[in-house]
């Protein structure tokens, strides 16, 4: 348990809760199921973040804020969690990257990208364990996320920066190849 002094208030977090907060900051946002998958990876076993801890992080400490977004196509409302003001202050105090929630868009495309990334990490960790394969390892530490494959290559995700909005529309690619070339 680590204690932090923020806004004349002492906040106590475990290292797992702090690492989970850092991963949400890197991704930008996460749904409750995403948070549970990330928490399982951090814990090293399939587990759920308790409702008490979840409620503490959102309602009491305001480290995470809930944002409801509606999908026009299927008329559903999805709640995702972003860093709250206290969470951003905490990460800034630790000299960690903390993106403002206004700097990215919570839309269907970005939600699918986040879902794909988290599911890939989850599967790479637990599938290797279930199959008894020690050739693949997943490491969540305080600086980066590493996935090492049996080929020896390592994928490091120290941040997940994607341009979410473009100021100019994309221009189509026009091929100038000669038909005789093919």
């Amino acid at each position: 348990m680590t204690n932090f002094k923020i806004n004349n208030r002492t906040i106590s977090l475990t290292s797992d809760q702090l690492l989970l907060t850092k991963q949400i900051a890197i991704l930008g946002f996460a749904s409750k199921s995403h948070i549970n998958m990330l928490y399982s990876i951090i814990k090293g076993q399939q587990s759920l973040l308790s409702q008490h801890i979840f409620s503490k992080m959102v309602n009491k400490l305001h480290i995470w804020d809930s944002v409801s977004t509606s999908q026009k196509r299927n008329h559903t409302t999805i709640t995702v969690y972003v860093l709250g003001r206290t969470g951003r202050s905490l990460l800034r105090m630790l000299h960690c990257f903390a993106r403002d929630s206004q700097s990215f868009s919570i839309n269907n495309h970005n939600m699918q990208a986040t879902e794909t990334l988290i599911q890939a990490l989850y599967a790479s960790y637990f599938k290797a364990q279930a199959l008894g394969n020690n050739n693949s390892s997943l490491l969540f530490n305080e600086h980066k996320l590493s996935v090492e494959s049996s080929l020896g290559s390592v994928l490091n995700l120290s941040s997940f920066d994607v341009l979410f909005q473009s100021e100019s529309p994309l221009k189509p690619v026009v091929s100038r190849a000669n038909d005789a070339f093919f």
Side-chain angles (χ1 to χ4, degrees):
M1 193 71 77
T2 307
N3 295 321
F4 302 98
K5 187 86 168 165
I6 298 176
N7 300 332
N8 299 325
R9 210 167 87 180
T10 302
I11 295 175
S12 298
L13 293 178
T14 65
S15 59
D16 293 341
Q17 293 166 352
L18 182 59
L19 186 53
L20 183 58
T21 300
K22 288 179 183 180
Q23 297 309 317
I24 292 171
I26 289 169
L27 294 168
F29 62 89
S31 69
K32 190 169 183 177
S33 62
H34 295 156
I35 291 171
N36 283 324
M37 284 192 274
L38 289 169
Y39 188 69
S40 293
I41 295 168
I42 291 168
K43 294 298 277 181
Q45 63 185 15
Q46 294 180 353
S47 58
L48 297 174
L49 186 64
S50 73
Q51 185 59 38
H52 172 73
I53 300 294
F54 192 84
S55 179
K56 176 181 129 181
M57 299 292 277
V58 175
N59 299 325
K60 184 179 178 188
L61 299 177
H62 301 286
I63 292 178
W64 306 332
D65 285 339
S66 64
V67 176
S68 294
T69 174
S70 60
Q71 302 289 321
K72 291 181 183 176
R73 264 187 225 164
N74 47 5
H75 305 290
T76 59
T77 301
I78 297 171
T79 301
V80 294
Y81 299 89
V82 297
L83 281 184
R85 188 174 22 150
T86 306
R88 284 191 304 276
S89 297
L90 173 68
L91 293 183
R92 258 188 249 115
M93 186 175 73
L94 296 171
H95 305 289
C96 295
F97 173 75
R99 177 184 319 179
D100 183 27
S101 62
Q102 301 300 317
S103 67
F104 55 87
S105 184
I106 301 172
N107 57 35
N108 194 35
H109 172 75
N110 294 340
M111 289 173 71
Q112 287 177 350
T114 300
E115 176 84 21
T116 302
L117 178 66
I118 293 172
Q119 284 185 3
L121 296 172
Y122 186 84
S124 70
Y125 186 83
F126 290 109
K127 186 175 180 181
Q129 276 187 347
L131 297 175
N133 182 356
N134 293 329
N135 292 334
S136 177
S137 64
L138 178 69
L139 173 66
F140 254 156
N141 68 26
E142 299 191 0
H143 304 290
K144 62 188 167 198
L145 169 68
S146 300
V147 180
E148 185 172 346
S149 70
S150 58
L151 301 175
S153 60
V154 176
L155 169 67
N156 291 321
L157 299 173
S158 56
S159 66
F160 190 67
D161 292 331
V162 178
L163 296 174
F164 292 101
Q165 297 176 353
S166 175
E167 292 182 15
S168 62
L170 296 175
K171 296 180 181 176
V173 176
V174 179
S175 174
R176 303 265 191 250
N178 187 346
D179 290 336
F181 179 76
F182 298 103

